[in-house]
Amino acid sequence: MRQTYFIFAIAILILSCASQKDFVAEYDFNYSGNFKKYKTFNFVVNAIPEDSIAYFEAIERTITSRLGSQGFRLDQNRPDLLINYKVFNDSVKYRGYEQPNFDYWLNRRTGTVELTEEEELRQREKDETYNRVKFVEKNGLLVIYVIDNKKGNTIWQGYTAGTFDMYAADGQSDLTKATYRIMDQFRLVTRN
């Protein structure tokens, strides 16, 4: 009897874990970004089909909440950053880059991490190469782009694989989780 209960408990645990989607987020960034100077943001205006407005509002609410907690302010007139996003529901080939950890790179760039001149030179040489990585996602992809509004360059992009069905009962919930996973990788804090 005890053994049956134990097996039943393990089966429920496995099923509950299998039913939760775990979105693994990746990111890459542009070495020329002025990350310490950005304080405000706004969204790129996209044409959104009427039947999916709530779906895309979930993405924007999540991003606004996350950036607000990091000290960024929403500015509709002259934002430092423009945020754009794209949901791919079909299989997609996507190019990313193998780079140093964003936090470490930022700290090194601002002088928080102390390195010898030789170590710094070696790190900069590594930084200045963009090692391409090709992703082939068969189940779709959510990509969030952070754009320097003055330069017009994408300075950071985060992405996670997943199928996002806007008509499913858990569609908005999955999209919110995936968006948070991506934005968790954008660890830039500003002082407003």
Side-chain angles (χ1 to χ4, degrees):
M1 178 75 166
R2 235 172 135 178
Q3 186 176 14
T4 305
Y5 176 75
F6 181 71
I7 291 171
F8 180 71
I10 297 260
I12 288 179
L13 182 63
I14 290 171
L15 285 174
S16 68
C17 289
S19 68
Q20 292 182 348
K21 294 182 181 175
D22 187 28
F23 298 101
V24 178
E26 296 288 333
Y27 66 91
D28 46 70
F29 56 96
N30 186 326
Y31 294 123
S32 67
N34 258 339
F35 290 98
K36 293 297 180 180
K37 294 188 179 188
Y38 304 125
K39 298 186 182 314
T40 60
F41 73 97
N42 198 8
F43 293 91
V44 172
V45 178
N46 292 311
I48 299 172
E50 183 100 12
D51 64 344
S52 37
I53 289 174
Y55 193 65
F56 291 101
E57 284 176 345
I59 294 172
E60 290 187 13
R61 264 193 320 273
T62 304
I63 293 171
T64 300
S65 172
R66 180 62 189 195
L67 289 177
S69 72
Q70 292 170 231
F72 289 90
R73 231 176 346 98
L74 186 63
D75 181 348
Q76 296 181 353
N77 298 322
R78 293 182 52 185
D80 300 324
L81 300 173
L82 289 173
I83 310 296
N84 200 3
Y85 50 87
K86 176 77 176 152
V87 177
F88 298 92
N89 287 317
D90 298 324
S91 69
V92 63
K93 292 179 183 176
Y94 197 76
R95 183 181 65 209
Y97 300 93
E98 185 181 314
Q99 295 178 295
N101 177 284
F102 186 57
D103 297 331
Y104 174 75
W105 180 81
L106 275 175
N107 288 331
R108 213 183 75 239
R109 195 163 178 214
T110 58
T112 309
V113 175
E114 292 186 31
L115 297 173
T116 66
E117 236 178 274
E118 185 179 304
E119 290 172 324
E120 180 61 29
L121 184 60
R122 223 182 0 253
Q123 287 295 332
R124 281 188 189 220
E125 284 176 15
K126 275 171 98 178
D127 286 354
E128 292 171 8
T129 58
Y130 288 93
N131 299 319
R132 293 180 182 185
V133 178
K134 290 185 180 179
F135 298 99
V136 177
E137 297 301 339
K138 296 183 180 177
N139 297 329
L141 191 71
L142 168 63
V143 183
I144 298 173
Y145 305 95
V146 178
I147 302 161
D148 182 315
N149 191 24
K150 289 180 183 154
K151 294 180 182 176
N153 296 338
T154 299
I155 57 162
W156 188 91
Q157 63 182 6
Y159 35 91
T160 188
T163 303
F164 304 100
D165 181 0
M166 70 181 96
Y167 303 111
D170 59 351
Q172 280 190 21
S173 175
D174 285 348
L175 195 57
T176 299
K177 287 177 197 173
T179 304
Y180 264 115
R181 285 290 181 145
I182 292 171
M183 293 308 293
D184 279 345
Q185 305 302 311
F186 189 71
R187 295 188 178 110
L188 188 61
V189 176
T190 190
R191 306 267 186 255
N192 257 326

